[in-house]
Amino acid sequence: MRDFTDNCVVLKIKDYRDDDRLADVFTAEHGLVTVVFRGVKKEKAKLKPFAQPFTVFSSRLTSSKGAYLTPIEPMLISDGFTLCADLRVFTAASVAAEATVAALVDDEKHPELYVEFLKFLSAAEFNGDPYYQASVYMLHLLELSGFYREYTFEQNPISPPRLLGYAQKIGYEKREDDDLSRRALKFISAEFQRNFDIGLKSVQSIDLY
């Protein structure tokens, strides 16, 4: 039996059985866990706001048997509705979340990466180009996973690698939408895929929005 209280952020979610949903949830102190939100497909389900990608909440999580945890009286910190409403933001956040799930090992603590993902969500929601913000996060994800590479910095970058060098030095700043950010995110995602030998399906959506 597992029973603990932690801060959580939903990375990925999928349908499960008739009325339930399963979520890959990143916790601050207990790593990556799988949470079942029971009955959330029903119209008046109380847990419906929690069963949303990129929702941040605090909860007691418990399981009597099996691998799935159940939230007990969760408290909402921020919902993911705004991040899901804009397709470009949703695409960028989905790339970052999918990569995070691939990089994490279940039950291992990653508090620094947890905080970094929350910084990314805030930047993607409020600081302009979400593809740039996701590129900054992907650089942090690779570094924290042991795959650091330094890119050349330029104040006014004109290529994806140079924008990544800019992102390494400047970090999450407000940027306007441009094609270079989209290409940079695809570039760093390819770096991630090579290092982890895994494909990121969400990357395929970058050119659609």
Side-chain angles (χ1 to χ4, degrees):
M1 178 177 178
R2 301 185 67 192
D3 193 320
F4 59 86
T5 298
D6 209 338
N7 291 327
C8 312
V9 57
V10 177
L11 298 182
K12 296 177 66 177
I13 199 156
K14 63 182 179 181
D15 292 337
Y16 177 66
R17 297 178 176 171
D18 292 337
D19 297 313
D20 306 339
R21 304 190 85 186
L22 279 181
D24 290 319
V25 173
F26 192 6
T27 66
E29 297 295 335
H30 296 81
L32 183 68
V33 299
T34 303
V35 173
V36 57
F37 293 100
R38 303 188 189 282
V40 293
K41 295 181 187 176
K42 297 179 180 178
E43 184 177 353
K44 296 183 179 180
K46 292 183 179 180
L47 293 181
K48 192 181 291 288
F50 298 89
Q52 176 82 16
F54 321 126
T55 293
V56 183
F57 64 96
S58 177
S59 180
R60 176 186 171 196
L61 298 173
T62 184
S63 66
S64 56
K65 54 185 176 180
Y68 303 150
L69 293 159
T70 300
I72 305 296
E73 298 182 353
M75 295 177 57
L76 190 66
I77 297 174
S78 65
D79 63 51
F81 290 107
T82 302
L83 291 158
C84 293
D86 185 304
L87 289 176
R88 294 180 75 258
V89 175
F90 177 76
T91 297
S94 295
V95 170
E98 186 179 357
T100 303
V101 171
L104 293 177
V105 177
D106 291 1
D107 300 330
E108 286 191 3
K109 293 183 180 181
H110 301 276
E112 187 176 354
L113 184 57
Y114 176 86
V115 171
E116 196 64 43
F117 190 80
L118 295 185
K119 287 181 181 178
F120 157 66
L121 291 183
S122 178
E125 185 173 2
F126 300 111
N127 282 6
D129 188 353
Y131 294 158
Y132 171 77
Q133 310 303 345
S135 298
V136 176
Y137 173 76
M138 291 291 285
L139 288 166
H140 284 291
L141 176 59
L142 282 170
E143 182 177 357
L144 292 171
S145 300
F147 298 103
Y148 178 74
R149 172 185 170 185
E150 187 170 352
Y151 294 89
T152 302
F153 170 78
E154 285 183 358
Q155 187 63 48
N156 297 299
I158 58 173
S159 69
R162 297 300 172 91
L163 181 59
L164 294 176
Y166 178 93
Q168 280 181 322
K169 184 171 182 179
I170 303 300
Y172 301 109
E173 70 156 13
K174 187 174 180 63
R175 286 185 62 87
E176 298 301 322
D177 302 346
D178 61 31
D179 180 64
L180 185 58
S181 296
R182 176 183 61 83
R183 289 160 49 208
L185 180 55
K186 293 179 71 173
F187 186 96
I188 195 63
S189 294
E191 292 274 292
F192 177 90
Q193 292 178 103
R194 282 193 293 272
N195 285 316
F196 281 86
D197 192 27
I198 189 170
L200 297 176
K201 295 180 181 178
S202 299
V203 174
Q204 299 170 8
S205 301
I206 292 176
D207 289 327
L208 299 179
Y209 308 113

